[in-house]
Every structure is written in structure tokens, then in C-alpha cells.
Amino acid sequence: MELNVVTNEEELRPYFQVQDDYVDVYTCPNWSLEEWKAYAEPYCTLEEGIELYGEYAKAMPNVDGYIYSIMPGRAYNQAVVYNEEVIKAAGYNEIPATLEKFNEMCEKIKAMGIIPIVLHRVENWPLATVQDFAIYVSGNPTVFAECLKTENPFSDTSPFGKTIKMYTEWKAKGFFEPEVFPDFGAAMDSVAYGRAAMMLFGSWVVPQIQGRVPKGKDPSIIKFAPAPDFGAGRYVLAAPADNWAISKFSKNKEAARMFIEYIANDSQFIADSGFIANKKGVKPIVPELYAIIDEMVEKGECKVILQPPNDENALNNQKVLEEAGLYADYKYVGLLFDALDITKPDDWSEYYKQAETLNQLYARYKNELGVEWKD
């Protein structure tokens, strides 16, 4: 077996576009469902996935009743990954429970000359946290798909738009890194070495940052906690994790499947990757990194929301965004996020102008496609 490490899906896509059989198994590209269907071999039916992985299977990449990437772990997704030493130096023993207190902590961290939140915009997937954080802002797991219910999803009066605005306010306040990191490793190092306090990410990144702490430091200084209460309650998103797919053009599909099944049955490997084994019949090992969230969930201080499945509403919402040119590379975030001139952080005129432009594009293509929310 030859292992090749690539930084993002752009390095894989050219092989698939020419139907090259060079790749057998791959993981973690940020593709649309159409691309999953075009480039991945169907792994199993949705019904078979549910039988093996329960309700989590519904949130795996699936189209027309087939799962295209199997995700043998489960995790808490898009919470706060943080350096405990940094927040303690700012006077906090835990991540604050409310947005107001969270913002106050970020201000104190910034005053220390430390980056409060690493956004990291080299690859597009960090911006996907906005999509998931909208669930926390609204307390509604289907909030992203429910853009179909409104003609103004990008306005701050709508849950999704409100979430983008919150991120942009953090940018205006200087809570994000002033310069884009050259790669994701550098971004993780910034948290590991205490040059930054936090990332808003899934559990998978925790063991990676723990493995990067300076020699002599206890890796457990990197912790994982729920996001604050943004007004609708305090939540954590539970999701399937660690996706693996078989190339549609592989000549070794059966061997590829055997490799993936080997991974799915290895609860220690999955735990070492920062996830919890989820396949029926496999005894899970729960990593220590989940301790804070697990305890809060047990005490009722934080509620679990299951990542919603890719149902017809979610697919139709994605189609509208794609037709409007707002989905590729998560441009629906970038266009608004970059509309604010941080040299004039109190001037939101261009932001609101851009939000209205995106609303109009969304309404236009929703109408052209003739799709509506379906209960």
C-alpha cells in the first residue's frame, strides 16, 4: 500500500476528472454531493448504513439512497478547541457560557497580544463552521436547509445570516488572525504553542494539536468544550466522522473496501484519531478529549443536536446556492465576510449591500429552480 498525503481536494480532483485509477481510497474532500456521486463508488445503500451505524448514517454523504463515503466514527463537531494555559492567563478556567462573556474573554486575550480565535482561511472547510454554528445560534438542526423558507437568508434577521454577521463582528473586533496562515499545520501550531487561544472546529483536530505542543508541555492543555449560548441555549453538534471513500475509477475496489472495513472495526485507531467507533458490534473507546462535553451533557448544561441528514430540503438548498454561484469554496461566507473593511470596522454599509445582493441571487435561482421547503 502506498500512502500519499495531500493538502486538499484540489490535488485529487484532476485524477478523477480524467478517470485515472491512481487512487483507490481517499478521505475528507469538501465536495458537493454531485461530486461525490461523480467520483466515488457507492459504498452501501442508506438503509444498509442505518443498519450498521444508526441514525448517524443519514448524515453521511448520500445521494439517491446510496452512501458514497462511509464514516465509521462519531464525534462532537464544531465546538471550541482551546489552549487551557492561554485562557487561564486571561483569568478564565473554562469557556464562558454566554456570547457576552465569550466576547469579553476574547478581548482580554487580544490585549495579551495573543490571537483569540484561529479562523484559518487557506482551505475552504474552516468557513463551514459558520454553517454548523448556525445550528447553535438558532437551536435548530435544519437551519441551513431552512434557507429555503425565506427570501433573505443572508440578512442578519435570518438565523444563517445572523451567524455570518456574528463571525464578521469577530473579525471587526480583531478576534481572528491578522494574516492568513500559510497552511493548516501553522494554524494548529499557533494554538499548540499558545500564540493563539482557540479554534472553532471538530474533535478530529484536538489530537493533532495535542501532538504539536512544545516538548515538556502536557498535551492535555489542549481541550475541547461546547460553544457558548448564543441566545437559544447551549448545544453541541453530534456527527458522523472520519470519512473514507472508494474511487469510482479504482481497479482495486474490493481491496479498498477491505481496508476501510479494517479501519471501521479498529476502535483504538478511531479513538486515536479523535473519534468514537460507531459501527454496530464494535466496542467503542471514548477519548479523554470528550470529558468536558460529556460531563456537561450529563448535567444538562449542554444539549446534543444530531447533525441533520442530507434530505430533499438540504439538497434543494444546495442546488440553489450552486446555481447562484454561492456554494463553491463556501463563497457564501467569504463574499460577506470580506465585505467589511476592518480599517473602518464601524462602517457596515458594504456588508449590508452585499447581503442584499446575495439575497437577491438566492431568491432568483430558487424561483428558477422552482424549489420550496417541504415539510
Side-chain angles (χ1 to χ4, degrees), residues 104-139:
E104 288 177 2
M105 182 183 73
C106 287
E107 291 285 3
K108 291 179 180 179
I109 292 169
K110 186 179 73 169
M112 294 162 54
I114 295 173
I115 300 167
I117 305 169
V118 173
L119 181 64
H120 175 54
R121 305 186 66 224
V122 177
E123 288 88 11
N124 58 24
W125 36 263
L127 292 177
T129 60
V130 180
Q131 182 173 318
D132 290 332
F133 263 57
I135 295 173
Y136 299 157
V137 169
S138 64

Side-chain angles (χ1 to χ4, degrees), residues 65-274:
Y66 288 93
I67 293 175
Y68 284 84
S69 180
I70 205 72
M71 304 172 79
R74 58 183 173 87
Y76 293 133
N77 204 15
Q78 313 305 23
V80 182
V81 183
Y82 67 98
N83 186 313
E84 185 179 41
E85 289 186 342
V86 174
I87 72 161
K88 282 188 174 181
Y92 295 83
N93 291 318
E94 59 187 10
I95 298 300
T98 67
L99 178 58
E100 180 183 6
K101 295 296 183 183
F102 181 80
N103 286 343
E104 288 177 2
M105 182 183 73
C106 287
E107 291 285 3
K108 291 179 180 179
I109 292 169
K110 186 179 73 169
M112 294 162 54
I114 295 173
I115 300 167
I117 305 169
V118 173
L119 181 64
H120 175 54
R121 305 186 66 224
V122 177
E123 288 88 11
N124 58 24
W125 36 263
L127 292 177
T129 60
V130 180
Q131 182 173 318
D132 290 332
F133 263 57
I135 295 173
Y136 299 157
V137 169
S138 64
N140 176 10
T142 61
V143 63
F144 184 59
E146 287 187 21
C147 288
L148 287 172
K149 288 185 174 182
T150 178
E151 299 298 320
N152 60 344
F154 294 97
S155 297
D156 58 10
T157 54
S158 297
F160 184 55
K162 181 180 179 181
T163 307
I164 300 174
K165 175 99 180 297
M166 181 180 73
Y167 266 63
T168 310
E169 287 174 338
W170 285 341
K171 178 187 177 183
K173 293 174 180 177
F175 291 172
F176 298 141
E177 62 271 18
E179 301 291 337
V180 175
F181 287 99
D183 57 52
F184 187 54
M188 289 193 290
D189 283 343
S190 70
V191 179
Y193 279 76
R195 296 190 292 268
M198 298 172 280
M199 280 186 174
L200 306 179
F201 253 126
S203 57
W204 61 271
V205 81
V206 178
Q208 293 193 46
I209 299 177
Q210 288 177 334
R212 291 171 174 266
V213 299
K215 187 175 181 180
K217 291 279 188 180
D218 186 346
S220 69
I221 64 171
I222 306 302
K223 295 195 172 351
F224 192 53
D229 180 350
F230 297 123
R234 200 168 189 184
Y235 299 97
V236 66
L237 186 64
D242 207 17
N243 64 31
W244 298 86
I246 301 171
S247 169
K248 180 170 286 187
F249 315 110
S250 169
K251 292 182 179 179
N252 305 296
K253 291 187 176 68
E254 288 307 311
R257 184 176 295 273
M258 289 174 66
F259 174 79
I260 295 173
E261 287 301 311
Y262 174 78
I263 295 295
N265 292 324
D266 189 342
S267 58
Q268 186 62 61
F269 176 86
I270 293 173
D272 290 343
S273 300

